[in-house]
Amino acid sequence: MAPAPYQPKGYPPIPEIGRVGVIGAGQMGSGIVQVAAVAGLEVRLLDIDPGAIERARAAIEARLTRQVAKGVMSETEKAEALARIRTAAGYADFADCDLVIEAAVENEEVKRKIFKDLVPHLAPAALLATNTSSISITRLAAVTDRPERFIGMHFMNPVPVMKLVELIRGIATEDDTYQAAKKFCEGLGKTTVTAEDFPAFIVNRILLPMINEACYTLYEGVGTVESIDTAMKLGANHPMGPLELADFIGLDTCLAIMQVLHDGLADTKYRPCPLLVKYVEAGWLGRKVKRGFYDYRGERPVPTR
Ligand code: CAA
Ligand code: NAD
């Protein structure tokens, strides 16, 4: 029997995005919440770790206080932005969101489970986005009830400072979803680029092999942590050295991205450096746990090798 002809799904029109849900209150989730709240949107924030929500709130408040001190924002604007951020007790609190952005850990199983559990609670018109650094948008979209309304929305770290958002369409993403996502990001003051749905998209396809190579450079004894970072800062004008940047991103995230590149492109040039693997196995995940290629527990960062 011939396959049934494609029937476009009868989605309601995409609403004006006024209320946004964010899943994951780590460094990326907290940044996304901040820029959305400052842009005047109502935000709901969910994390499995209540401590992460508290830390996110404190970090956002501290960053906005700095904006007030610099005269960029008034006390009233700060208070209004903070009042727009609510903690979600569960997925049911996303029922009135026009867009939900997933920014939990870079682990496909975790993300799949989040999307599967989330979709029964969403309004039919709601859009879904993932901030994944590397994982297939098409595969994540396929576990939802709305792959046409699903998109990769890849913010850069630190979100309030970095201008770029990569937009990645899955195979099913419809153009009105892409246009609404683009408009949303531009409303946050960001510039978008479009990337095809291949492992790690554009920025991380280029950036992470460089970071991984810096790990090999350290592993093979070509340079020390300090000499590698100084070389790339002063020799290539990078704002942070690659090992400092790896710590800033999170070594777990760096390793997860390299694994996606290695598995997805099946090329040995993406082999994760064994030293990076060892740091992650030790739980030395970088700045967020105060230890990685540098030790951040003292007054100034001290190289760990
Ligand atoms: N969160 C929010 N804001 C931060 C921040 C953070 N973690 N760190 C710094 N900032 C802000 C500061 O508050 C300051 O803002 P104001 O100018 O409004 O006061 C501004 O950034 C500059 O900060 P500093 O003067 O303290 O520091 P700096 O000049 O050294 O700049 C930096 C800090 C912007 C992080 C700079 O070092 C930099 O650009 N580093 C490289 C960042 C980068 O490459 N990001 C991309 C990572 S890859 C990625 O995101 C994709 C992925 O999937 C892994
Ligand atoms: P993070 O480790 O700082 O935070 C992750 C948060 O997710 C934690 O608070 C954790 O408790 C929470 N979490 C884990 N499982 C959850 C679940 N089932 N439900 C709700 N929350 C859950 O990580 P991050 O750096 O903020 O990265 C988050 C996402 O953003 C990842 O997909 C990462 O690849 C991507 N990303 C990271 C960067 C970066 O530089 N760190 C840049 C762009 C994109």
Side-chain angles (χ1 to χ4, degrees):
M1 203 168 70
Y6 170 69
Q7 290 289 330
K9 203 167 159 180
Y11 290 107
I14 295 177
E16 195 61 37
I17 294 170
R19 195 165 287 135
V20 183
V22 176
I23 300 176
Q27 41 183 355
M28 296 308 290
S30 78
I32 296 167
V33 164
Q34 178 181 331
V35 294
V38 168
L41 302 165
E42 295 290 328
V43 190
R44 308 265 188 271
L45 177 60
L46 180 77
D47 200 290
I48 40 162
D49 172 7
I53 305 251
E54 288 319 306
R55 287 191 295 277
R57 278 189 181 279
I60 294 168
E61 183 159 5
R63 294 196 290 257
L64 296 187
T65 301
R66 192 177 146 98
Q67 300 292 309
V68 173
K70 285 176 57 187
V72 178
M73 172 180 273
S74 71
E75 269 297 346
T76 313
E77 285 167 334
K78 173 187 142 188
E80 284 171 355
L82 291 174
R84 283 192 279 270
I85 304 170
R86 299 239 186 103
T87 300
Y91 294 128
D93 286 349
F94 292 127
D96 59 358
C97 288
D98 307 308
L99 163 69
V100 177
I101 306 171
E102 174 278 316
V105 283
E106 189 71 351
N107 175 312
E108 185 162 342
E109 286 320 304
V110 172
K111 290 185 188 298
R112 279 171 179 263
K113 176 148 183 15
I114 288 173
F115 285 119
K116 266 194 203 147
D117 294 346
L118 167 70
V119 288
H121 299 278
L122 294 179
L127 297 182
L128 270 179
T130 172
N131 187 47
T132 179
S133 294
S134 59
I135 299 166
S136 164
I137 304 306
T138 301
R139 278 205 305 272
L140 292 177
V143 304
T144 74
D145 60 351
R146 61 193 74 201
E148 295 82 359
R149 290 259 167 122
F150 189 103
I151 194 160
M153 195 181 272
H154 183 211
F155 288 84
M156 303 294 138
N157 186 15
V159 179
V161 179
M162 304 296 281
K163 294 270 172 283
L164 186 76
V165 180
E166 276 182 290
L167 291 178
I168 309 104
R169 292 182 178 92
I171 198 166
T173 310
E174 284 182 347
D175 194 52
D176 53 358
T177 301
Y178 169 77
Q179 296 302 340
K182 188 168 188 290
K183 190 172 164 207
F184 169 75
C185 293
E186 287 170 354
L188 303 181
K190 305 299 181 193
T191 300
T192 60
V193 293
T194 310
E196 288 299 319
D197 188 16
F198 287 103
F201 323 124
I202 296 174
V203 171
N204 289 334
R205 172 81 178 258
I206 299 169
L207 184 65
L208 262 295
M210 188 217 35
I211 287 176
N212 196 44
E213 202 59 31
C215 299
Y216 273 114
T217 312
L218 178 67
Y219 178 58
E220 292 169 9
V222 182
T224 62
V225 168
E226 230 161 5
S227 61
I228 292 165
D229 276 351
T230 303
M232 293 306 286
K233 276 194 281 193
L234 303 187
N237 243 3
H238 289 192
M240 286 176 168
L243 300 172
E244 186 190 355
L245 181 57
D247 275 357
F248 182 63
I249 292 169
L251 302 190
D252 52 342
T253 303
C254 291
L255 177 59
I257 298 168
M258 286 311 300
Q259 281 162 340
V260 169
L261 280 167
H262 194 227
D263 293 349
L265 298 170
D267 189 326
T268 53
K269 75 180 178 182
Y270 299 113
R271 192 169 63 100
C273 175
L275 187 59
L276 175 61
V277 175
K278 188 183 284 197
Y279 270 76
V280 173
E281 285 173 350
W284 294 15
L285 306 182
R287 261 203 219 180
K288 61 187 170 187
V289 299
K290 297 203 183 310
R291 198 150 45 157
F293 289 114
Y294 294 85
D295 187 330
Y296 301 90
R297 291 172 298 175
E299 247 173 43
R300 48 180 42 234
V302 178
T304 51
R305 345 177 34 91

